[in-house]
Amino acid sequence: MSYRKGLVALCAALLFLSFGTSAYAATCVYCSEGSPEGFNPSLYTSGTTFDACRAVYDRLVLFEYGTTDTIPGLAESWNVSSDGKTYTFNLRKGVKFHTKKDFKPTRDFNADDVLYSFNRQFDPNHPYHKVSGGSYEYFTSMSMDKLIKSIEKKGDYTVVFNLNRPEAPFVANMAMEFASILSGEYADAMMAKGTPEKVDLDPVGTGPFVLVQYQKDAVIRYKANPDYWRGKAKIDQLVFSITPDASVRYAKLKAGECHLMPYPYPADLAMMEKDANINLMQQEGLNVGYLAFNTAKKPYDNVKVRQALNMAINKQAIIDAVFQGAGKIAKNPLPPTIWSYNDKVEDYPYDPAAAKKLLAEAGLAGGFETDIWAMPVQRPYNPNARRMAEVIQADWAKVGVKAKIVTYEWGEYLRRSMSGEHETVLLGWTGDNGDPDNFLAVLLGCDAVGSSNRAQWCYKPFDDLIQKAKITTDVTERTRLYEEAQVVFKEQAPWVTTAHSIVFIPAAKNVSGYKVDPFGNHEFYHVEMK
Amino acid sequence: MIRFLFRRIAMIIPAFIGVTLLTFALIHLIPGDPVELMAGERGIDPVRHARLMAQLGLDKPLPIQYLNYITGVMRGDLGKSLVTKQPVLKEFLTLFPATLELSLFALTFAITVGLPMGVLAGVKRGTFLDHSVMGLSLTGYSMPIFWWGLQLILFFSVYLGWTPVSGRISALFWIEPDTGFMLIDALRSEEKGTWISALRHLILPSLVLGTIPLAVIARMTRSSMLEVLQEDYVRTARAKGLAPWRVIMIHALRNATIPVITVIGLQTGVLLAGAILTESIFAWPGIGKWILESIHRRDYPAIQGGVLIISSLIILVNLGVDVLYGIVNPRIRHTR
């Protein structure tokens, strides 16, 4: 009898243990790199904050998982008027907002939530405009304040955006984090309670996960939203274990304390690849690193000099020395993952002899002195600017160009390079919305001279192409225009395009369904724990 | 005694003013501002830059900014973080228990290991044991914290799997912070294994943070022991035929610990400074990590407030030590 009792107890214990295991299996622990600044993405600009918010909110338009293509989100469909100035979004019905301790929604998502989310940023007289600092940096820097003329509600499930000018990337902008949809009902309730800032700290969204706990610098916990309109996530809990140091994140992954980690050290990649317990996922990032010539200064106003210095650089040596395998040579100002990338463009070959010849043609046979500005910080498109500057310095010395490496504190570096104090400057860009305009117009357009156009390059044939593409809604035509613009760019050589980095995500073997996002975002809705 | 106390307290006021002035000056000497950093590669036009700076109150001349700040401090208002928009004091108080818990553990570790090590080295002067203890403490003192922390993680957490890598508790436990001290909060949890998990998470960070104070305490105890062991009363005690351990533990050690206590008081500053690195390695959500991040983001009110509170704590601990010393040794009270 006692033997049978023991057997029953053993079976019960095993059953209990197996339940325990399955409960854990539904939890995904992501070792994130830092604390979010808050939980309203329209107030901030950092990727860390966006990752923490993405789990909670949806947008009218979404990016298809793992791509830069746009798909319907909270808007089921949209129409663009023939003049390209009116966008009508038809909203999805039956979408529920999260229920929190202090707030239980009484209605589904509707046009009022869209109006609240956008008017808060757009209208300086909106009661929420000044809450939590009232600075909507992304909205402003994407020129949405100048672009939008008015936002109208046409019934509960239709919202119309009237624009001041046609803007083809507008739909892609609607998929960006600043365009996340917050609950207007929750905002009203918190305003009535006298705690409006709570909307930005304890978020209520329609997204796949509900925020349940946030401890600054320690942990963010979410549970799956059971009413999610795309279906409940396959994991029950999502935990962000905040771990700022990349080596420690790697140690945690190895010790089984987390399942996924972002931003590994390039030096650790080889070891990760060999590790049988780690699945090292990778994808080319939506970024470009470049060296911009200040075309407003001599001798860089001469296209021959720019072409010569392009030919004088051994890009493969840069990839080997600086990226240690985590980068790819860039030939265009657009990354290859973006539509309209022109693969037919031929990069300048590494040819010091031809470079010398071109310099002689430009009247600089004896070489000249210049500077190379190197960023003081590590960026996704350039993990070690100082090293890159040294490689370029050595290459240019071979063609008689003596370069001095200059660096400043990061904020100072950005400010001075914006005003064009440099002769050549190393910098780069990570795309926001997957639209070519976000690279070509922002970095090389005439309007951006004196700000993000570090080459101070305003070339009419190029600018005409990108301006035309901006107001054209037909994607085939836009693709053609951007492809042509890339050819013009290469001929004129305002930059040396250096590299596109590769984004790596090491994950535990029991994680499936995760895709590396070209934007560098981290999204967990599709993740499954085996 | 009261006069002595007043004199000591009066000396604190210029120290406080000095700290606020120095912090204020130093952080404004760092080039770059929070608005530029927020804009990043995108850049920001000068008009908008000026407007945002004005919004943050950073457009006024520095002396005015300082005066505004100091007036706020007098009223107990340390301002709001430029990044999270939360009151600095609230952020500090949320994170401080984590640092305090870690520091207390580190100090306990340093004392319980450092003191006996120092006594042994002092008693066995010139032996292999003495040389080993001194060699080890010198190594501990000069070891880079970051490197040391990573080595311990790799060995104990990754290779042996004995201790967790980082954090305050396993990510699988849900603890609602109440007191902020994880060991206390974990006790209230109904989930099994929570408290043990919290304790295990404390081991490596305490070891790393306690290494330098341990080395200092061991060396100080040793030299103090050597001095005391040569005193007449020790010789007398020995001559009386007392057991050697009694001579060492009761007669010598008690007197030898007086300078050691001062050193322990001074270690408060070392612990809080060391916490910046230790907390970064072990993802420990305390004030060290918070200040470091605030520096990166040029979050001026957070840096100023954090440094001010920490310096105040160090000043107060040292005042406490001074006063204790005055009580123990009345001669100090009368020294001018």
Side-chain angles (χ1 to χ4, degrees):
Chain A
M1 192 64 187
S2 67
Y3 168 74
R4 280 175 85 184
K5 261 188 185 169
L7 201 65
V8 169
L10 185 70
C11 286
L14 282 176
L15 201 65
F16 175 77
L17 274 178
S18 71
F19 273 130
T21 318
S22 68
Y24 284 166
T27 299
C28 174
V29 183
Y30 167 66
C31 274
S32 62
E33 74 286 7
S35 291
E37 295 144 305
F39 284 92
N40 179 353
S42 64
L43 290 164
Y44 304 105
T45 54
S46 81
T48 308
T49 302
F50 292 164
D51 282 341
C53 293
R54 191 169 301 106
V56 177
Y57 297 110
D58 282 312
R59 289 148 300 285
L60 294 179
V61 180
L62 298 176
F63 288 116
E64 193 173 0
Y65 191 41
T67 74
T68 57
D69 302 333
T70 50
I71 53 167
L74 290 180
E76 269 178 332
S77 60
W78 54 87
N79 321 93
V80 189
S81 64
S82 54
D83 66 354
K85 292 210 276 194
T86 307
Y87 283 74
T88 307
F89 290 93
N90 305 308
L91 307 184
R92 198 175 290 279
K93 290 175 184 149
V95 177
K96 308 262 181 256
F97 274 104
H98 302 158
T99 298
K100 302 294 282 269
K101 228 174 3 190
D102 302 355
F103 173 71
K104 195 170 164 29
T106 60
R107 62 164 176 83
D108 289 351
F109 154 75
N110 67 23
D112 290 332
D113 303 309
V114 180
L115 287 188
Y116 164 71
S117 305
F118 283 94
N119 278 336
R120 175 175 177 178
Q121 303 178 65
F122 175 61
D123 176 9
N125 299 317
H126 190 275
Y128 261 93
H129 186 74
K130 291 204 166 71
V131 173
S132 305
S135 159
Y136 305 95
E137 214 32 55
Y138 236 115
F139 187 81
T140 318
S141 66
M142 295 300 287
S143 296
M144 296 295 278
D145 52 339
K146 295 187 187 89
L147 180 67
I148 297 174
K149 192 170 159 195
S150 63
I151 309 167
E152 290 171 65
K153 172 184 168 181
K154 293 256 167 85
D156 274 354
Y157 291 96
T158 308
V159 175
V160 179
F161 284 79
N162 298 306
L163 309 185
N164 283 315
R165 57 167 197 270
E167 172 99 351
F170 183 72
V171 170
N173 288 356
M174 288 287 108
M176 288 171 63
E177 304 305 324
F178 73 81
S180 294
I181 302 298
L182 282 71
S183 162
E185 190 190 2
Y186 179 48
D188 290 342
M190 290 305 114
M191 185 60 97
K193 266 191 177 177
T195 54
E197 63 288 341
K198 206 161 173 229
V199 169
D200 307 323
L201 300 171
D202 190 8
V204 169
T206 58
F209 295 97
V210 184
L211 177 86
V212 276
Q213 190 191 37
Y214 168 52
Q215 284 174 31
K216 191 175 160 58
D217 291 344
V219 74
I220 314 175
R221 289 174 197 284
Y222 307 88
K223 66 169 196 251
N225 174 6
D227 304 318
Y228 189 46
W229 60 274
R230 287 198 281 174
K232 185 181 164 283
K234 292 181 185 95
I235 48 173
D236 298 319
Q237 292 167 39
L238 172 65
V239 180
F240 279 29
S241 176
I242 300 166
T243 315
D245 188 78
S247 309
V248 180
R249 286 201 291 275
Y250 179 31
K252 286 188 86 146
L253 186 66
K254 281 209 281 192
E257 285 178 37
C258 60
H259 303 115
L260 283 147
M261 65 168 273
Y263 314 117
Y265 277 136
D268 288 335
L269 292 172
M271 245 181 357
M272 287 176 177
E273 214 147 13
K274 280 186 214 145
D275 195 325
N277 299 315
I278 289 177
N279 175 18
L280 186 63
M281 295 179 269
Q282 52 179 285
Q283 179 167 344
E284 278 158 26
L286 195 75
N287 59 42
V288 63
Y290 61 80
L291 174 90
F293 300 112
N294 187 345
T295 58
K297 283 187 177 173
K298 279 195 182 305
Y300 299 108
D301 55 344
N302 186 338
V303 67
K304 283 189 178 164
V305 175
R306 304 198 296 258
Q307 288 171 340
L309 293 186
N310 255 284
M311 286 187 197
I313 294 175
N314 182 356
K315 290 190 188 176
Q316 192 53 51
I318 288 179
I319 298 290
D320 296 342
V322 178
F323 287 86
Q324 297 174 42
K328 191 187 162 192
I329 291 178
K331 61 177 180 180
N332 285 323
L334 290 179
T337 38
I338 219 164
W339 59 271
S340 81
Y341 175 81
N342 192 345
D343 208 14
K344 289 189 197 112
V345 167
E346 288 224 4
D347 203 3
Y348 291 101
Y350 172 53
D351 189 347
K356 268 186 176 168
K357 212 174 129 209
L358 270 174
L359 282 174
E361 281 172 28
L364 292 164
F368 61 95
E369 286 187 11
T370 189
D371 60 31
I372 303 173
W373 285 29
M375 296 121 56
V377 290
Q378 207 182 34
R379 303 298 284 171
Y381 47 77
N382 191 343
N384 189 345
R386 177 89 203 176
R387 182 86 192 92
M388 191 184 279
E390 283 165 3
V391 177
I392 295 173
Q393 185 186 41
D395 280 345
W396 282 359
K398 290 176 200 155
V399 296
V401 175
K402 248 174 94 179
K404 187 174 77 182
I405 298 173
V406 176
T407 193
Y408 292 101
E409 181 280 331
W410 184 222
E412 194 74 2
Y413 186 90
L414 292 167
R415 196 177 56 77
R416 286 174 184 251
S417 61
M418 215 157 65
S419 56
E421 287 183 29
H422 57 282
E423 290 185 5
T424 76
V425 63
L426 282 170
L427 211 64
W429 184 255
T430 301
D432 300 301
N433 58 7
D435 196 283
D437 179 77
N438 185 241
F439 280 80
L440 301 180
V442 173
L443 305 176
L444 295 155
C446 288
D447 291 345
V449 169
S451 63
S452 49
N453 184 342
R454 256 69 181 198
Q456 316 288 323
W457 185 64
C458 178
Y459 187 63
K460 199 159 181 311
F462 176 87
D463 205 55
D464 287 347
L465 287 167
I466 57 167
Q467 289 307 332
K468 198 172 166 203
K470 203 184 181 92
I471 55 170
T472 308
T473 40
D474 177 39
V475 176
T476 324
E477 176 59 7
R478 286 188 78 200
T479 305
R480 193 191 62 74
L481 291 165
Y482 287 133
E483 281 177 351
E484 208 181 317
Q486 288 166 76
V487 174
V488 178
F489 165 86
K490 196 86 269 183
E491 277 167 15
Q492 289 297 313
W495 294 353
V496 177
T497 45
T498 52
H500 308 292
S501 77
I502 297 174
V503 180
F504 288 90
I505 298 283
K509 283 275 177 178
N510 58 341
V511 175
S512 68
Y514 185 87
K515 277 190 193 167
V516 184
D517 186 86
F519 293 105
N521 297 333
H522 303 96
E523 200 178 319
F524 302 92
Y525 172 59
H526 300 86
V527 167
E528 200 171 345
M529 304 301 294
K530 279 189 229 158
Chain B
M1 182 67 198
I2 292 170
R3 260 185 72 193
F4 165 75
L5 202 63
F6 271 121
R7 221 173 37 231
R8 280 286 185 269
I9 291 172
M11 279 165 71
I12 290 179
I13 297 165
F16 275 134
I17 296 173
V19 165
T20 54
L21 203 60
L22 204 66
T23 324
F24 191 84
L26 282 178
I27 57 172
H28 282 90
L29 274 179
I30 315 174
D33 62 59
V35 174
E36 269 170 5
L37 285 176
M38 187 174 65
E41 287 92 335
R42 185 175 302 282
I44 187 161
D45 70 80
V47 178
R48 190 162 164 75
H49 181 267
R51 209 173 67 214
L52 287 179
M53 289 293 275
Q55 232 176 55
L56 299 173
L58 299 172
D59 57 332
K60 298 185 181 75
L62 282 184
I64 304 284
Q65 282 187 44
Y66 177 72
L67 272 180
N68 288 346
Y69 176 68
I70 209 80
T71 324
V73 171
M74 302 275 198
R75 290 197 308 260
D77 175 16
L78 294 179
K80 279 186 177 175
S81 155
L82 300 182
V83 177
T84 62
K85 319 283 190 282
Q86 295 292 304
V88 169
L89 191 63
K90 188 180 155 201
E91 290 212 332
F92 183 91
L93 290 177
T94 315
L95 299 170
F96 187 61
T99 303
L100 191 61
E101 190 174 42
L102 176 60
S103 301
L104 285 176
F105 261 75
L107 198 61
T108 312
F109 162 71
I111 295 170
T112 46
V113 179
L115 210 66
M117 265 171 75
V119 171
L120 271 179
V123 173
K124 305 275 178 195
R125 186 189 184 181
T127 62
F128 173 72
L129 189 81
D130 179 25
H131 293 313
S132 313
V133 166
M134 284 305 96
L136 275 176
S137 69
L138 188 66
T139 316
Y141 192 73
S142 37
M143 203 136 52
I145 289 187
F146 215 90
W147 178 85
W148 177 224
L150 279 178
Q151 295 313 305
L152 288 182
I153 288 177
L154 288 177
F155 187 67
F156 287 107
S157 310
V158 177
Y159 181 65
L160 294 175
W162 290 355
T163 50
V165 177
S166 73
R168 290 183 81 188
I169 195 153
S170 162
L172 300 172
F173 293 121
W174 293 44
I175 299 288
E176 215 38 73
D178 199 3
T179 60
F181 293 91
M182 194 53 91
L183 282 180
I184 299 174
D185 291 340
L187 275 178
R188 294 162 186 238
S189 165
E190 284 168 11
E191 276 183 281
K192 228 176 147 188
T194 321
W195 194 81
I196 295 291
S197 172
L199 187 68
R200 289 180 67 221
H201 279 79
L202 261 168
I203 299 172
L204 287 191
S206 308
L207 226 129
V208 170
L209 186 59
T211 302
I212 291 178
L214 184 151
V216 174
I217 291 170
R219 293 180 76 84
M220 193 67 209
T221 312
R222 177 185 177 269
S223 58
S224 179
M225 274 302 276
L226 286 178
E227 212 171 284
V228 171
L229 284 174
Q230 308 207 338
E231 291 287 334
D232 290 345
Y233 65 85
V234 173
R235 200 179 318 133
T236 313
R238 278 189 177 137
K240 270 162 61 187
L242 282 181
W245 68 268
R246 230 184 130 77
V247 176
I248 292 162
M249 300 306 286
I250 312 269
H251 293 254
L253 182 61
R254 192 176 269 185
N255 286 301
T257 42
I258 295 175
V260 177
I261 289 171
T262 319
V263 168
I264 292 171
L266 289 172
Q267 291 307 304
T268 328
V270 177
L271 281 174
L272 290 172
I276 293 183
L277 282 176
T278 313
E279 287 178 4
S280 296
I281 310 165
F282 290 97
W284 194 266
I287 45 155
K289 208 170 135 213
W290 173 66
I291 289 183
L292 195 69
E293 210 167 281
S294 306
I295 294 172
H296 287 317
R297 289 172 169 171
R298 303 290 187 281
D299 191 346
Y300 299 144
I303 311 171
Q304 278 160 197
V307 173
L308 180 66
I309 305 175
I310 291 177
S311 339
S312 312
L313 283 174
I314 295 174
I315 292 172
L316 287 177
V317 168
N318 282 297
L319 173 77
V321 171
D322 270 3
V323 172
L324 264 181
Y325 228 78
I327 294 168
V328 175
N329 190 347
R331 274 175 301 181
I332 290 171
R333 294 210 295 258
H334 303 299
T335 317
R336 284 177 191 248

